[in-house]
Amino acid sequence: MKTKVLKVDPQFPALSEIDEAAQALQAGQLVAFPTETVYGLGANALDCEAVKKIFAAKGRPAHDPLIVHISDLSMLEQVVSQVSAEAMRLAKHFWPGPLTLIMPKHANIPDEVTAGLGNVAVRMPSHPVALTLIRQAGLPIAAPSANRFGHTSPTSAAHVLADLDSRIEMVLDGGSTPIGVESTVLDVTQSPARILRPGGVTFEELQDLLETVLLNGQKTSQ
């Protein structure tokens, strides 16, 4: 299998090119695409067989959960079973953007996505290509970084191909990603919320919105 590369305008992607990638996702195939952080390796988050292909392509252990990407808040209904007031406040403030929220998962989401855990990681990317792709597919997209497991996260299509050429069906080449650092992961299933991975949204930005937030196991209040 030769990986197909489609060059797309990072700000105004052509719908014809996005449609081809969206149809690939609907068919259970893998598509790498740019986000504002790094390139993601996407599959239909509601299709367990498609999700398994992500782990095979990356060589990623099955116990390592994936992040689900959505294009609007209404899509949360397919992904999570409950949205707390705090989670909704964070989502409305930081989405679209590089913040991933851990919330209770919906029964729609296969165990393969969450490594059998009861919570799911969700974010809404701000990159126009990513948002357009998710909207066109009409599906939540499970997407870790588009690289072999343990390798550096890719910030260009060339980086993706260096690791995954012939292992995935398609790459949307939208140029270099603007941030180049992965999203911040925040667990809002506990109180106070805990940062599990620092990233594109800073601790200080979260602290401005939350009365208390845990960082590296230490409680810090305003």
Side-chain angles (χ1 to χ4, degrees):
M1 172 181 63
K2 180 65 175 174
T3 298
K4 184 172 186 177
V5 180
L6 292 178
K7 284 195 71 71
V8 294
D9 187 306
Q11 293 302 317
F12 304 102
L15 287 182
S16 59
E17 295 164 337
I18 296 295
D19 277 341
E20 185 174 349
Q23 289 173 22
L25 288 169
Q26 292 166 350
Q29 297 178 352
L30 301 183
V31 176
F33 60 93
T35 75
E36 74 278 20
T37 57
V38 298
Y39 272 71
L41 178 58
N44 178 359
L46 307 179
D47 181 346
C48 65
E49 295 305 317
V51 170
K52 288 177 183 177
K53 293 178 182 179
I54 291 177
F55 290 91
K58 285 177 61 74
R60 182 185 179 103
H63 60 73
D64 199 354
L66 306 177
I67 294 174
V68 176
H69 295 64
I70 61 174
S71 57
D72 57 69
L73 288 175
S74 66
M75 197 173 277
L76 275 177
E77 297 176 359
Q78 302 177 60
V79 179
V80 304
S81 61
Q82 180 181 346
V83 183
S84 67
E86 181 178 70
M88 184 57 71
R89 186 166 72 253
L90 288 160
K92 288 181 175 180
H93 186 84
F94 289 107
W95 287 356
L99 177 67
T100 295
L101 298 176
I102 306 291
M103 293 182 278
K105 85 177 184 79
H106 194 285
N108 286 340
I109 300 298
D111 284 344
E112 286 80 4
V113 172
T114 64
L117 301 175
N119 297 323
V120 62
V122 190
R123 90 176 185 96
M124 187 190 301
S126 65
H127 197 292
V129 173
L131 282 176
T132 306
L133 176 62
I134 299 165
R135 290 190 189 114
Q136 288 297 108
L139 299 164
I141 304 301
S145 56
N147 55 277
R148 296 294 296 274
F149 184 73
H151 291 194
T152 302
S153 296
T155 57
S156 70
H159 295 159
V160 176
L161 291 170
D163 258 10
L164 298 177
D165 192 10
S166 300
R167 301 177 68 88
I168 63 176
E169 282 80 10
M170 190 178 298
V171 179
L172 290 176
D173 182 356
S176 297
T177 60
I179 296 178
V181 176
E182 292 178 322
S183 64
T184 299
V185 177
L186 183 69
D187 186 352
V188 291
T189 66
Q190 59 175 284
S191 184
R194 179 191 297 268
I195 296 173
L196 301 184
R197 181 182 73 187
V201 172
T202 67
F203 169 73
E204 289 75 19
E205 288 174 311
L206 290 171
Q207 194 179 34
D208 284 343
L209 201 68
L210 300 175
E211 182 176 338
T212 306
V213 61
L214 292 176
L215 175 63
N216 298 325
Q218 296 183 343
K219 184 182 292 189
T220 305
S221 303
Q222 291 184 335

